[in-house]
Amino acid sequence: MNQKETQRLVAKAEKLCEHRGARLTPARREVFEILAAETGAIGAYDLLDKLKSAVPNAKPPTIYRALDFLQEQGFVHKISSSNSYVLCSHFDHQHPVQMLICEVCGSVQEIQSDGVYDALRKQAEEQGFKVASQTIEAHGLCQQCDI
Ligand SMILES: [Zn+2]
Ligand SMILES: [Zn+2]
């Protein structure tokens, strides 16, 4: 993501936070910007390394608190299978998440398919299970890597 696009997203996130009465502190904002600059998902410790260039006294709790906040606000998705984080590409609305994760370059693409969401929810209901949220992670090869 280029600088201009990053700034646009930061501005959008700031506005949303203001609207919700949440505070995008400098550390949270910094983590957001780092995630926006990544093409793939990034682990908490790599994030911490990068954060330290802007916030030298940053500690692991700084990162985890910032990530918790960003996830609560719906700005960031956690990828459980690799324990890493990725910026949501359309965070102004809550949505079911399907992620395409490239096993070679690590890029993450989000897709939103209501069909997939509905099918899963319907089958879950048949089992008497109520779905609160769902994140589907698909692993494979992206267009660039599949040559
Ligand atoms: Zn998303
Ligand atoms: Zn790839």
Side-chain angles (χ1 to χ4, degrees), residues 102 104-107 141-142 144-145:
C102 178
V104 175
C105 69
S107 73
L141 282 176
C142 76
Q144 267 83 46
C145 297

Side-chain angles (χ1 to χ4, degrees), residues 74-77 87-91 93 95-97 99 110 112:
F75 299 159
V76 165
H77 297 304
L87 194 78
C88 176
S89 42
H90 24 64
F91 54 71
H93 59 279
H95 58 89
V97 188
M99 285 185 286
E110 259 188 78
Q112 288 177 279

Side-chain angles (χ1 to χ4, degrees), residues 21-40:
R23 219 162 78 77
L24 194 65
T25 61
R28 290 166 176 173
R29 187 198 166 101
E30 205 59 52
V31 172
F32 184 99
E33 284 181 16
I34 295 167
L35 284 163
E38 293 289 319
T39 48

Side-chain angles (χ1 to χ4, degrees), residues 57-127:
N57 61 350
K59 302 259 182 327
T62 318
I63 278 286
Y64 285 111
R65 276 199 301 266
L67 285 170
D68 281 348
F69 174 83
L70 296 172
Q71 283 182 91
E72 274 164 29
Q73 298 299 321
F75 299 159
V76 165
H77 297 304
K78 181 173 183 179
I79 297 175
S80 308
S81 56
S82 57
N83 207 12
S84 55
Y85 301 84
V86 65
L87 194 78
C88 176
S89 42
H90 24 64
F91 54 71
D92 41 6
H93 59 279
Q94 292 291 325
H95 58 89
V97 188
Q98 293 119 24
M99 285 185 286
L100 308 178
I101 303 158
C102 178
E103 306 228 277
V104 175
C105 69
S107 73
V108 179
Q109 240 180 294
E110 259 188 78
I111 54 169
Q112 288 177 279
S113 162
D114 287 335
V116 172
Y117 175 75
D118 290 341
L120 196 148
R121 201 195 49 204
K122 196 158 164 275
Q123 292 215 14
E125 270 167 15
E126 282 165 16
Q127 310 289 325

